[in-house]
């Protein structure tokens, strides 16, 4: 079953603007991961944040995690047209999860040149 | 470096026909392997995972089965396809808990 919801479902912005996507989940986690998917392609891992971390940066990406609210956000700064893709959060459940991931429904990001 | 190969990229099959999708991983040993399915415009749903040769766990009861005949080979099969089996199938591997997953390019299956 799906772990939670992503918000918004779709986001349309201009190049240079920041894009923020939110993810909520329902159960305890080992970590939360963000993935990107270009249309009709496989998923590419962007960033992983562990349950004991609150914020993580990677290049133009900033991820926050609030385990008390069971939510995470992904911020892409200074967006580019090449950032156009679907973005998914995925949780790795606590305990012996074997690395199984539960995905959100995704946010479709469109960056206009 | 590690790579994951998944084929075919697209497949159109008639209802009632068999299915075999193959996935192989290179550059790592004893990976955890996963099959996910993605319905149009939706997130991914885990179908099967494997932590070792011959060890398969099913997450969702369905018309599909999986096998792992070798350490780095994962196969998704069906004896008789249903229309509802249409979708985008993705193979992935990881080193397990706390590790990122690496995905193949996916197979778009259309059952007609």
């Amino acid at each position: 079953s799906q772990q939670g919801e992503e918000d918004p479902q779709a986001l349309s912005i201009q190049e240079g603007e920041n894009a923020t996507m939110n993810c909520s989940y329902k159960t305890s986690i080992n970590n939360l991961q963000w993935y990107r998917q270009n249309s009709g392609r496989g998923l590419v891992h962007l960033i992983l944040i562990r349950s004991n971390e609150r914020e993580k940066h990677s290049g133009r990406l900033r991820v926050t995690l609030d385990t008390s609210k069971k939510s995470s956000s992904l911020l892409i700064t200074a967006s580019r047209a090449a950032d156009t893709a679907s973005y998914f959060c995925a949780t790795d459940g606590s305990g012996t999860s074997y690395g199984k991931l539960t995905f959100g429904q995704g946010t479709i990001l469109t960056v206009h040149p | 470096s590690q790579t994951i190969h998944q084929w075919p990229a697209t497949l159109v099959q008639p209802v009632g026909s068999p299915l075999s999708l193959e996935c192989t991983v290179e550059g790592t040993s004893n990976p955890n392997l996963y099959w996910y399915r993605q319905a149009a415009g939706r997130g991914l749903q885990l179908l099967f995972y494997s932590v070792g040769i011959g060890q398969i766990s099913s997450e969702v009861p369905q018309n599909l089965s999986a096998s792992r005949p070798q350490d780095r080979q994962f196969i998704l099969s069906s004896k008789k396809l249903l229309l509802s089996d249409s979708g985008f199938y993705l193979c992935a591997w990881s080193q397990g808990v706390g590790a990122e997953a690496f995905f193949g390019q996916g197979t778009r299956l259309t059952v007609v």
Side-chain angles (χ1 to χ4, degrees):
Chain A
S1 63
Q2 298 301 320
Q3 170 69 294
E5 300 295 325
E6 291 189 57
D7 170 52
Q9 292 185 350
L11 181 60
S12 182
I13 59 175
Q14 295 296 127
E15 257 190 340
E17 295 180 341
N18 296 340
T20 300
M21 290 160 264
N22 302 296
C23 166
S24 62
Y25 58 92
K26 298 176 182 174
T27 62
S28 298
I29 61 172
N30 284 313
N31 63 69
L32 185 143
Q33 305 178 33
W34 285 89
Y35 289 82
R36 165 193 169 125
Q37 183 181 35
N38 284 26
S39 180
R41 308 281 288 177
L43 277 71
V44 175
H45 181 266
L46 295 176
I47 196 165
L48 181 154
I49 186 166
R50 303 191 189 285
S51 60
N52 61 352
E53 297 176 311
R54 293 296 168 259
E55 187 171 314
K56 202 161 183 180
H57 297 256
S58 177
R60 294 185 293 115
L61 305 180
R62 172 180 172 255
V63 169
T64 62
L65 179 64
D66 186 336
T67 52
S68 67
K69 295 181 179 178
K70 291 186 169 59
S71 67
S72 173
S73 67
L74 171 68
L75 168 67
I76 303 175
T77 60
S79 64
R80 306 166 182 168
D83 294 328
T84 295
S86 294
Y87 291 83
F88 294 91
C89 67
T91 52
D92 185 346
S94 62
T96 307
S97 69
Y98 300 108
K100 299 180 293 180
L101 297 176
T102 304
F103 284 81
Q105 297 301 302
T107 294
I108 300 172
L109 173 65
T110 303
V111 181
H112 300 281
Chain B
S1 63
Q2 303 92 354
T3 56
I4 178 168
H5 303 281
Q6 184 182 344
W7 66 94
T10 59
L11 192 58
V12 180
Q13 291 283 99
V15 169
S17 65
L19 173 74
S20 181
L21 301 181
E22 190 162 342
C23 172
T24 59
V25 179
E26 296 177 356
T28 187
S29 59
N30 197 31
N32 285 9
L33 297 172
Y34 313 89
W35 278 110
Y36 290 88
R37 178 167 60 197
Q38 183 178 30
R42 308 274 294 177
L44 279 69
Q45 180 184 39
L46 180 64
L47 301 177
F48 299 95
Y49 69 96
S50 171
V51 298
I53 297 174
Q55 301 179 57
I56 308 295
S57 296
S58 173
E59 290 291 295
V60 181
Q62 61 212 310
N63 185 42
L64 302 169
S65 63
S67 62
R68 184 172 178 173
Q70 300 180 43
D71 181 44
R72 291 170 288 180
Q73 183 184 27
F74 206 24
I75 297 172
L76 183 68
S77 304
S78 173
K79 291 182 180 179
K80 289 185 177 181
L81 284 169
L82 306 172
L83 287 174
S84 57
D85 292 324
S86 293
F88 192 51
Y89 289 83
L90 290 144
C91 179
W93 75 271
S94 82
Q95 287 298 345
V97 175
E100 65 189 273
F102 298 89
F103 284 81
Q105 289 303 301
T107 295
R108 186 161 304 283
L109 171 66
T110 304
V111 183
V112 296

